Amino acid sequence: MAAPIDASKGGRKLKFQTVEELSACLNEYFEFCDNRSKEIPSKDGGVTLIKHPAPYTMSGLARRLGISRDTLCNYHNRELFSDTVKAARDRVQEDIENRLMETPNQSGAIFNLKNNFGWKDKTETDLTSGGEKLGIEVEFINGKDSKS
């Protein structure tokens, strides 16, 4: 078991004092999402429960932990909790990526990956002329007449 945080070093007392305590709550969130079910009306007038896992989200994770999303990010910046929070973030990111590949409407997943995980659109421009790359010549002048 990891040593608890020393509150004498200043700042607000952390909600989670050990990695084990944080990990247990993180696992509760993932179990909750994985085990969510949905009621489907059946033809005979009854109801059938089917497994309907909830998507993992950083906001949902923070809310389940009883802290803000910013506070969760701050736990990531603490050496003691960094690996634990990174593993949870990676699990959320993997879930979003998987859902991105399974759905025709991908804009929500793309938005989430850009805003929570630093994904970026990348555009490359190849400047060519007649099949040959264009060269650019740059001359730096240090505030003096270039002829001197």
Side-chain angles (χ1 to χ4, degrees):
M1 181 174 192
I5 300 298
D6 184 0
S8 67
K9 293 188 178 177
R12 187 182 309 186
K13 182 179 177 185
L14 297 174
K15 179 170 185 163
F16 302 100
Q17 297 296 306
T18 65
V19 171
E20 293 81 9
E21 191 180 352
L22 177 61
S23 292
C25 289
L26 292 169
N27 289 332
E28 284 176 17
Y29 171 74
F30 293 123
E31 281 184 39
F32 167 79
C33 290
D34 292 342
N35 294 316
R36 186 177 80 164
S37 59
K38 172 169 132 174
E39 292 182 351
I40 303 292
S42 59
K43 292 180 183 176
D44 64 3
V47 175
T48 303
L49 278 177
I50 63 165
K51 191 171 181 176
H52 187 67
Y56 302 157
T57 66
M58 292 306 292
S59 297
L61 181 57
R63 188 174 65 79
R64 187 74 175 191
L65 295 174
I67 59 178
S68 72
R69 190 175 160 282
D70 289 340
T71 299
L72 180 58
C73 291
N74 288 337
Y75 271 91
H76 181 262
N77 295 330
R78 293 180 172 272
E79 187 176 339
L80 179 63
F81 298 108
S82 180
D83 290 341
T84 304
V85 174
K86 182 179 181 334
R89 283 179 49 89
D90 288 348
R91 192 167 172 182
V92 171
Q93 183 174 352
E94 179 183 12
D95 183 66
I96 294 167
E97 286 181 66
N98 287 334
R99 290 173 187 276
L100 175 65
M101 303 307 289
E102 295 172 350
T103 179
N105 182 3
Q106 301 167 343
S107 59
I110 292 169
F111 175 83
N112 191 324
L113 290 166
K114 286 180 181 180
N115 286 282
N116 286 310
F117 301 100
W119 286 35
K120 294 178 176 63
D121 289 323
K122 182 177 178 182
T123 304
E124 293 185 14
T125 305
D126 183 14
L127 300 174
T128 60
S129 174
E132 295 182 28
K133 293 201 177 203
L134 296 176
I136 299 175
E137 198 171 307
V138 179
E139 181 180 350
F140 292 96
I141 301 172
N142 192 13
K144 298 179 183 176
D145 185 3
S146 61
K147 296 179 183 176
S148 55

